[in-house]
């Protein structure tokens, strides 16, 4: 028989959303937080940009709302955006009080930077380009301090346990042992799915598990066609690729082709600071003629001070940004779609919540505004924590029937399957899509699925999540935000405000 664990709240994932939910909800009762690897393994720790919030003189939630809605290409939920911009400043200050060391100006106030598509300076940073790592450090400390939070590392969630239409926990393996974890409330905070693409800035744990697990249980998802490709990852043969933050362009770095020509001025009035989808597609097209570079040489010695982490990443690869051009490429970076939630993080299934990148809160619409992701994680995790604290307790839950731990898959065969998914998605469902290419992707994903070795649970989740992206992309016959159809290259009024649910 599997072990049966019982808790008030179960949180799946250890990024900003999961950690914040666990920390804040622990005042209402016991919490178990599970993570595939260690507590530090999440996309949060990789976030270089910062946290956007209306904290500066001359800024306001109304201005932040306007910028967010503009980036979202008529698909944002205005009510969700209002929640984000109104509650965001308090969450940032709360994190600062909890111990996060953000940059301050000489007067002791938060020093605010600027990134693409923001109309004013409103980005909070820490340690130059390591804001996410500072956020993760702060929240991990709070979680580890709490006597009410139990952390289960090296835990694979296999499926939701659903009883009479409501989620009562998950079936999982904890350090290789079978376990049913029963909870009054379960929160999906499993992050994104960048690893379904050949080129990505996401950590290796971002295999889309939460999307797949939720979909198999019948939970409603939406907007899965909207994948954001970051324009400037360092173009090297690695996985994941090192990110060159948008903030570098915000400080004055420019994009040039192999002839040294700056090409973004002709593409958009904001040039290098245009929305990410515009910049990513421009680079993608330019790469047909040769490599593309980011030129930050005019930053000189200031580069090492402002971007110490990026400088170290480049230096380790033999590049000195103070005097060398940095080769860059677009890479899968962020999923705007996911599990549909209300303003308190509730999913379509009773007792199941979602927050962070796995959730479709409606904040991002078709295209995420830079540095809104960490903010969304904080704001909606806080709302989830309050909501789950009011959840009624489950009645008695009988022991589940015996089940066996899936055998460990042949890693060679599993890796071949994962690499095949990533190649198919990049070639046919990436930055530029067509109906023919998407149908090819669908067929090849089916072939890959048929060859999956027994026990390849993570790779099965990759296939499932990839298929969700492909199906949604096929249905949306227009281009909008992060979704670009070369055979339907313009946005269509008929699709304005329409969401594809799966």
């Amino acid at each position: 028989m599997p072990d049966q664990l019982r808790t008030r709240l179960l949180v799946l994932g250890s990024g900003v959303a999961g950690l914040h939910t666990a920390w804040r909800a622990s005042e209402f009762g016991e919490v178990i937080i599970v993570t595939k690897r260690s507590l530090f393994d999440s996309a949060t720790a990789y976030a270089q940009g910062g946290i956007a919030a209306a904290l500066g003189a001359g800024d306001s939630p109304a201005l932040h709302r306007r910028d967010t809605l503009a980036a979202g290409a008529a698909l944002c939920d205005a009510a969700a955006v209002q929640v984000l911009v109104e509650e965001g400043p308090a969450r940032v200050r709360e994190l600062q009080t909890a111990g996060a060391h953000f940059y301050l100006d000489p007067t002791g106030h938060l020093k605010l930077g600027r990134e693409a598509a923001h109309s004013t300076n409103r980005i909070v940073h820490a340690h130059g380009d390591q804001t996410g790592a500072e956020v993760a450090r702060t929240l991990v400390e709070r979680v580890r301090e709490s006597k009410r939070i139990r952390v289960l590392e090296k835990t694979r969630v296999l499926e939701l346990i659903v009883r009479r239409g409501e989620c009562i926990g998950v079936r999982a393996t904890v350090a290789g042992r079978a376990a049913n974890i029963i909870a009054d409330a379960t929160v999906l905070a499993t992050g994104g799915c960048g690893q379904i693409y050949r080129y990505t800035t996401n950590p290796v744990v971002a295999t889309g598990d939460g999307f797949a697990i939720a979909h198999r249980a019948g939970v409603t998802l939406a907007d899965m066609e909207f994948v954001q490709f970051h324009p400037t990852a360092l173009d090297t043969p690695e996985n994941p690729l090192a990110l060159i933050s948008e903030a570098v362009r915000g400080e004055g770095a420019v994009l040039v082709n192999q002839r040294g020509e700056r090409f973004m001025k002709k593409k958009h009035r904001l040039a290098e600071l245009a929305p990410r989808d515009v910049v990513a597609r421009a680079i993608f097209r330019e790469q047909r003629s040769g490599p593309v570079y980011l030129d930050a040489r005019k930053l000189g010695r200031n580069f090492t001070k402002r971007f110490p982490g990026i400088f170290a990443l480049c230096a380790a690869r033999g590049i000195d940004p103070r005097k060398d051009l940095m080769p860059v490429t677009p890479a899968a970076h962020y999923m705007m779609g996911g599990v549909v939630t209300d303003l308190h993080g509730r999913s379509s299934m009773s007792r199941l919540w979602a927050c962070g990148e796995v959730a479709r809160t409606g904040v991002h619409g078709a295209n995420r505004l830079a540095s809104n992701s960490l903010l969304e994680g904080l704001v909606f995790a806080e709302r989830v924590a309050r909501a789950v604290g009011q959840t009624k307790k489950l009645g008695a839950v009988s022991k589940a029937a015996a089940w066996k731990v899936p055998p460990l898959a042949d890693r060679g065969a599993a890796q071949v399957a994962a690499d095949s998914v990533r190649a198919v998605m990049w070639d046919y469902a990436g930055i530029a899509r067509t109906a023919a290419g998407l149908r090819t992707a669908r067929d090849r994903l089916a072939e890959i699925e048929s060859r999956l070795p027994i026990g390849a649970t993570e790779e099965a989740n990759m296939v499932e999540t990839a298929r969700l992206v492909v199906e949604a992309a096929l249905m949306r016959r227009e281009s909008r935000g992060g979704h670009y159809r070369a055979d339907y290259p313009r946005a269509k009024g008929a699709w304005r405000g329409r969401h594809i649910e799966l």
Side-chain angles (χ1 to χ4, degrees):
M1 292 289 290
D3 296 335
Q4 185 142 306
L5 308 178
R6 186 73 170 82
T7 186
R8 175 76 172 135
L9 172 65
L10 172 61
V11 179
L12 313 180
S14 60
V16 58
L19 292 169
H20 189 89
T21 300
W23 168 43
R24 301 293 287 166
S26 63
E27 65 180 272
F28 302 110
E30 292 183 351
V31 179
I32 290 178
I33 182 169
V34 305
T35 184
K36 278 203 297 189
R37 295 196 178 184
S38 78
L39 205 54
F40 283 97
D41 279 304
S42 72
T44 295
Y46 285 70
Q48 295 175 345
I51 309 174
L55 293 158
D59 198 6
S60 69
L63 289 174
H64 190 184
R65 179 180 186 273
R66 185 187 68 187
D67 292 345
T68 300
L69 291 173
L75 274 186
C76 295
D77 180 325
V81 174
Q82 192 66 33
V83 166
L84 180 84
V85 300
E86 289 284 356
E87 299 181 9
R91 298 287 81 78
V92 174
R93 293 191 184 100
E94 180 180 78
L95 195 58
Q96 187 180 21
T97 301
H101 300 299
F102 297 129
Y103 274 159
L104 304 177
D105 64 22
T107 66
H109 294 96
L110 288 168
K111 185 176 181 180
L112 303 173
R114 186 171 178 182
E115 291 182 6
H118 286 273
S119 58
T120 188
N121 287 27
R122 65 165 65 98
I123 315 299
V124 176
H125 292 104
H127 309 300
D129 50 11
Q130 298 173 63
T131 311
E134 179 62 12
V135 169
R137 181 199 64 78
T138 304
L139 291 174
V140 166
E141 283 187 4
R142 300 288 81 75
V143 164
R144 286 184 166 165
E145 283 176 358
S146 175
K147 294 180 180 179
R148 285 184 164 185
I149 302 175
R150 180 181 179 185
V151 177
L152 299 179
E153 298 182 321
K154 297 180 180 178
T155 297
R156 282 191 301 163
V157 174
L158 304 178
E159 62 184 10
L160 302 180
I161 301 175
V162 180
R163 184 186 68 177
R164 295 192 290 274
E166 64 179 9
C167 178
I168 62 169
V170 301
R171 185 171 292 167
T173 62
V174 181
R177 289 177 56 86
N180 296 322
I181 309 175
I182 306 300
D184 298 328
T186 299
V187 179
L188 284 170
T190 48
C193 58
Q195 284 293 326
I196 67 173
Y197 284 97
R198 179 188 293 157
Y199 302 113
T200 182
T201 61
N202 287 188
V204 293
V205 293
T207 50
D209 304 298
F211 307 103
I213 290 167
H215 186 255
R216 286 197 295 268
V219 178
T220 302
L221 283 77
D223 296 347
M224 291 296 290
E225 67 270 36
F226 295 113
V227 180
Q228 186 174 75
F229 293 88
H230 197 288
T232 53
L234 199 60
D235 193 1
T236 58
E238 299 173 74
N239 178 33
L241 297 182
L243 180 66
I244 305 298
S245 169
E246 201 152 36
V248 178
R249 282 174 280 136
E251 293 291 332
V254 298
L255 290 161
V256 298
N257 57 27
Q258 64 178 346
R259 297 180 297 278
E261 300 165 341
R262 187 180 175 190
F263 56 87
M264 278 308 302
K265 278 189 172 183
K266 298 178 182 177
K267 304 295 183 182
H268 196 279
R269 62 181 179 82
L270 295 176
E272 280 78 12
L273 295 182
R276 286 178 172 178
D277 62 303
V278 174
V279 181
R281 282 197 296 274
I283 294 174
F284 184 71
R285 292 190 186 106
E286 201 70 29
Q287 284 178 320
R288 295 171 183 168
S289 302
V292 170
Y293 301 92
L294 188 63
D295 185 356
R297 291 176 294 183
K298 72 176 184 180
L299 275 65
R301 288 180 296 178
N302 287 334
F303 194 103
T304 55
K305 182 179 180 181
R306 177 66 180 83
F307 305 109
I310 295 173
F311 182 81
L313 288 171
C314 290
R317 293 155 180 83
I319 301 167
D320 185 344
R322 298 170 300 183
K323 59 183 181 180
D324 298 330
L325 297 177
M326 293 174 279
V328 293
T329 184
H333 186 59
Y334 192 86
M335 166 56 78
M336 275 79 75
V339 175
V340 176
T341 65
D342 68 8
L343 296 180
H344 298 280
R346 296 183 184 91
S347 76
S348 63
M349 180 176 285
S350 179
R351 296 188 182 273
L352 180 68
W353 280 257
C355 56
E357 193 171 351
V358 74
R360 200 298 307 267
T361 62
V363 160
H364 305 303
N367 198 31
R368 177 178 68 98
L369 181 65
S371 290
N372 266 357
S373 51
L374 288 176
L375 187 72
E376 182 201 29
L378 292 168
V379 167
F380 286 91
E382 179 71 19
R383 289 188 148 233
V384 167
R386 294 174 192 167
V388 297
Q390 309 305 314
T391 304
K392 292 181 180 179
K393 291 187 177 181
L394 280 168
V397 177
S398 58
K399 279 253 184 181
W403 57 275
K404 293 182 179 180
V405 175
L408 291 176
D410 176 88
R411 292 320 303 162
Q415 187 60 53
V416 168
D419 288 344
S420 297
V421 170
R422 297 172 72 235
V424 165
M425 291 300 288
W426 186 261
D427 290 343
Y428 301 108
I431 293 173
R433 302 160 173 175
T434 64
L438 291 166
R439 292 190 189 102
T440 298
R442 184 174 58 187
D443 293 343
R444 294 195 180 177
L445 288 172
E447 292 172 8
I448 295 167
E449 185 176 43
S450 70
R451 299 194 306 270
L452 283 175
I454 296 173
T457 56
E458 192 172 69
E459 291 73 24
N461 288 338
M462 290 176 68
V463 171
E464 182 78 9
T465 299
R467 184 161 43 222
L468 291 170
V469 173
V470 169
E471 293 293 349
L474 258 174
M475 285 189 269
R476 184 172 288 277
R477 296 178 181 179
E478 66 155 357
S479 292
R480 186 178 298 273
H483 168 69
Y484 180 76
R485 286 282 297 265
D487 47 357
Y488 295 97
R490 291 180 176 80
K492 292 184 177 181
W495 281 96
R496 184 182 178 91
R498 286 178 59 187
H499 300 274
I500 293 173
E501 292 191 350
L502 298 166

